[in-house]
Amino acid sequence: MIEVQSVSKSYGKKSNQFHALKNISFTIPDGSIVAIVGKSGSGKSTLMHVMSGLEPASEGTVTINGKVFENMKAKDIDVFRATEMSFIFQSFFIEPNQTSFQNVMLPLEIAMIPRNKRAEYVNAALEAVELSDKSDVKAANLSGGQKQRLAIARAIVHKPKLIFADEPTGNLDSATGEHIIELLFNLNKTLGSTLVIVTHDRELAARCQVQIKLKDGAIDEIVKKGNL
Ligand code: ADP
Ligand code: MG
């Protein structure tokens, strides 16, 4: 469960302080699919960064599975993030001089997956994003869409329970984008992974169980489906 309680985030010093998030509160049950929507500059990415412990809140608390970021050391947050969470950001961090296989292998080392299981995990993730045939190709030689898919393979390879995706389909054509979304929704179904997706896509947002709508850094509306 993710609990966001009275979270505010400001940038800059007193005189020209900018309030990117204003008193945000909500709860996300395990295994749900959540969309964060709102205009450009409304605070979607900032909210995702604060929710995932990448940036500290200025006020308020974020609790994930009973762990309060505020009370944790930076190093413990890093370990928690590496083992329990996964991130798909628009500016994907892939190693251009390593092959697809090597890129997808990286998180398994950090997440401490047993050595003899790793190749199997990597091959399954590459297959899921239809990059099996690029396994031995250097990432630098992939197209933009292939790099995005590689980033997604890397994000899902250790079968994380909590996935944060910031406009994961933003740079993709609609067919590839749909494929990636199906892949993420499938992880939710098979592993019960919680998905938190920032998106501009209204149709995609409408398919999510919870929509958190932001306006100027504040919650405009929270729309829930069914009996959540
Ligand atoms: P969104 O993802 O919805 O487009 P962001 O969360 O990236 O919006 O940004 C929300 C607001 O906070 C924007 O006005 C942005 O300029 C500001 N902002 C984001 N990060 C920083 C930062 N590191 N320093 C100062 N202002 C920032
Ligand atoms: Mg953003």
Side-chain angles (χ1 to χ4, degrees), residues 11-12 18 20 38-47 55 166-167 198:
Y11 291 111
F18 181 79
K39 286 187 188 152
S40 179
S42 59
K44 302 182 298 296
S45 296
T46 305
L47 176 58
E55 286 187 57
D166 196 345
E167 309 210 22
V198 168

Side-chain angles (χ1 to χ4, degrees), residues 71-115:
N71 302 340
M72 291 168 75
K73 290 181 186 146
K75 191 165 171 287
D76 293 333
I77 293 179
D78 287 346
V79 171
F80 187 54
R81 287 163 48 81
T83 52
E84 314 221 1
M85 303 181 198
S86 184
F87 302 88
I88 303 168
F89 289 146
Q90 263 171 334
S91 49
F92 28 88
F93 309 98
I94 53 178
E95 300 287 340
N97 291 318
Q98 303 220 317
T99 65
S100 300
F101 188 92
Q102 289 167 328
N103 265 284
V104 179
M105 180 69 92
L106 277 170
L108 296 182
E109 293 161 15
I110 301 163
M112 295 178 290
I113 302 290
R115 213 166 265 280

